[in-house]
């Protein structure tokens, strides 16, 4: 989970939707207007909320990453989805 | 150096892990071991925590279990592809301090942009955001080195068109190393987008090539650990 500024893909394109910062959504405009330290503090709050809601700290599956190895990393993930946790494993 | 640095610089709002670039010296490793002990950090994947392994470009992955940081992942590296040695990176780092005297030492924006030039699709929008934000924050007082950085690394076609129009002399200087600036100068957005995509693919290919032997080595590490576990199990 790393929310990115203005991230968005157009078709197979690898780069952002071609917009200037001035065209980014209001939430991101406000984010960019913060000081670095303010961003860090806000990020801590978002992270705490994420954890409080049961968010996983396992890496998101990413087949484009050289470190992608779900069997090694996501021992607690259900069906390879980092946001789901296994509460009980059946026989399958 | 990774997602957390992107948070400080505004290109991300949150990151699930913390990445550290470290100086690979024995005294430093002792301090690092002590810090990892404080965090009750245990290694969760190959490779093993070994200075020689780090020096070859591997990352070592830990998960913390100390109160307050339970579950947090830490990645440690001592070398990054196509980046300068630690001493140089440290010299040009960004230091951000808070009112309590805490200091956060980050890769500089240009170094972070280089570090993000990976095969991972998710890193490229971050690069675009880092450069765009850096331009916005420094455009009022553009230093020559920043103009070169923006012209060399901007990934938004519209921003590139703006930059080449605003800084034609510097554009001529950077054009040799980044020919797609000619498309920006001409305002040819469709071809510029295609050229930017090609640039990404070329860099991703370089990163894959770099990681190929390291991935083979990681597979070997996994096999060795499985065999060791099997031997250990058989011995019990």
């Amino acid at each position: 989970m790393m929310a990115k500024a203005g991230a968005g893909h157009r078709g197979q394109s690898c780069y952002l939707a071609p917009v200037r910062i001035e065209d980014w959504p209001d939430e991101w405009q406000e984010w960019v207007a913060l000081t670095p330290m303010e961003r860090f503090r806000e990020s801590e709050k978002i992270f705490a909320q994420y954890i409080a809601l049961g968010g996983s700290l396992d890496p998101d599956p990413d087949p484009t990453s050289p470190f992608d190895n779900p069997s090694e990393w996501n021992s607690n993930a259900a069906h390879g989805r980092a946001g789901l946790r296994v509460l009980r494993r059946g026989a399958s | 150096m990774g997602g957390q640095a992107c948070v400080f610089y505004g290109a991300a709002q949150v990151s699930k892990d913390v990445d550290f670039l470290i100086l690979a010296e024995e005294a430093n490793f002792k301090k690092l071991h002590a810090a990892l002990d404080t965090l009750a950090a245990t290694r969760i994947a190959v490779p093993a925590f070994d200075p020689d392994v780090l020096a070859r470009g591997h990352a070592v992955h830990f998960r913390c279990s100390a109160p307050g940081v339970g579950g947090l992942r830490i990645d440690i590296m001592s070398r990054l592809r196509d980046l300068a040695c630690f001493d140089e990176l440290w010299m040009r780092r960004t230091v951000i301090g808070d009112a309590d005297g805490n200091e956060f030492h980050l890769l500089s924006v240009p170094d972070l942009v280089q570090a993000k030039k990976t095969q991972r699709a998710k890193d490229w929008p971050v690069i675009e955001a880092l450069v765009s934000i850096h331009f916005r924050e420094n455009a009022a007082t553009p230093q020559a080195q920043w103009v070169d950085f923006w012209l060399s690394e901007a990934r938004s076609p519209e921003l590139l068109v703006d930059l080449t129009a605003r800084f034609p002399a510097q554009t001529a200087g950077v054009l040799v190393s980044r020919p797609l600036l000619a498309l920006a100068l001409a305002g040819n957005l469709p071809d510029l987008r295609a050229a930017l995509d090609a640039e990404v693919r070329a860099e991703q290919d370089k990163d894959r090539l770099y990681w190929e032997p390291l991935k083979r080595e990681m597979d070997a590490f996994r096999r060795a650990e499985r065999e060791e576990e099997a031997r250990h199990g058989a011995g019990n």
Side-chain angles (χ1 to χ4, degrees):
Chain A
M1 179 189 65
M2 189 170 87
K4 300 165 193 79
H9 289 259
R10 293 186 330 148
Q12 295 303 306
S13 176
C14 297
Y15 54 83
L16 278 170
V19 291
R20 298 178 180 86
I21 289 181
E22 290 69 24
D23 300 321
W24 287 1
D26 288 346
E27 180 200 353
W28 275 101
Q29 297 274 359
E30 291 165 15
W31 178 258
V32 171
L34 297 176
T35 67
M37 212 54 235
E38 287 170 338
R39 289 176 196 139
F40 182 67
R41 297 295 178 223
E42 287 301 310
S43 178
E44 284 185 314
K45 292 178 195 168
I46 296 168
F47 188 73
Q49 286 175 344
Y50 174 73
I51 297 301
L53 291 170
S56 167
L57 292 175
D58 287 332
D60 297 320
D62 181 1
T64 66
S65 167
F67 307 125
D68 190 58
N69 189 328
S71 64
E72 191 172 49
W73 288 86
N74 300 341
S75 57
N76 203 26
H79 310 298
R81 293 178 59 188
L84 299 178
R85 285 173 178 277
V86 176
L87 298 177
R88 176 182 175 278
R89 276 199 196 280
S92 60
Chain B
M1 67 175 185
Q4 299 293 350
C6 291
V7 168
F8 278 106
Y9 288 132
Q13 289 187 326
V14 72
S15 178
K16 290 203 297 188
D17 63 3
V18 186
D19 303 314
F20 291 105
L21 181 71
I22 62 158
L23 174 65
E25 280 184 356
E26 197 175 333
N28 209 32
F29 275 105
K30 283 180 185 165
K31 290 180 191 168
L32 186 60
H33 274 294
L36 291 169
D37 285 346
T38 302
L39 296 169
T42 52
R43 183 170 65 86
I44 54 172
V46 296
F49 186 24
D50 177 338
D52 292 338
V53 167
L54 282 170
R56 292 204 292 276
H58 284 286
V60 184
H61 315 278
F62 296 88
R63 194 184 295 279
C64 305
S65 58
V69 291
L72 183 69
R73 284 183 302 110
I74 291 176
D75 292 348
I76 291 173
M77 300 186 82
S78 69
R79 176 185 161 194
L80 298 167
R81 180 180 71 86
D82 286 349
L83 263 81
C85 65
F86 181 89
D87 290 338
E88 274 186 48
L89 298 175
W90 184 253
M91 286 282 287
R92 52 189 190 227
R93 73 195 184 281
T94 300
V95 182
I96 293 170
D98 67 11
D100 298 326
N102 298 309
E103 287 186 350
F104 302 85
H105 298 252
L106 316 173
L107 276 183
S108 69
V109 172
D111 286 328
L112 186 57
V113 163
Q114 289 303 319
K116 285 283 175 191
K117 288 184 178 178
T118 74
Q119 59 196 282
R120 301 187 307 181
K122 68 178 186 178
D123 283 332
W124 290 88
V126 176
I127 293 175
E128 176 161 5
L130 284 168
V131 180
S132 296
I133 293 167
H134 189 271
F135 171 68
R136 177 167 139 149
E137 292 179 342
N138 297 282
T141 53
Q143 299 172 23
Q145 61 175 356
W146 292 137
V147 176
D148 281 353
F149 168 62
W150 301 328
L151 287 166
S152 301
E153 305 298 348
R155 308 214 58 77
S156 158
E158 279 75 7
L159 177 55
L160 279 168
V161 170
D162 284 353
L163 287 168
T164 53
R166 188 169 165 177
F167 306 108
Q170 289 94 328
T171 298
V174 181
L175 198 56
V176 177
S177 58
R178 203 181 192 195
L180 61 73
L181 292 181
L183 298 168
L185 268 172
N188 183 346
L189 289 177
D191 287 354
L192 180 56
R193 288 186 186 110
L196 284 164
D197 273 354
E199 209 175 55
V200 172
R201 285 194 295 274
E203 200 65 39
Q204 287 177 319
D205 285 345
K206 277 174 66 180
D207 194 54
R208 282 189 201 98
L209 206 61
Y210 173 84
W211 278 99
E212 211 173 84
L214 295 174
K215 284 174 76 172
R216 278 200 301 273
E217 207 171 14
M218 280 193 280
D219 287 339
F221 288 144
R222 287 187 191 102
R223 278 196 302 275
E225 286 206 348
R226 278 197 297 269
E227 287 165 11
E228 179 64 27
E229 282 168 13
R231 267 197 302 275
H232 190 69
N236 288 339

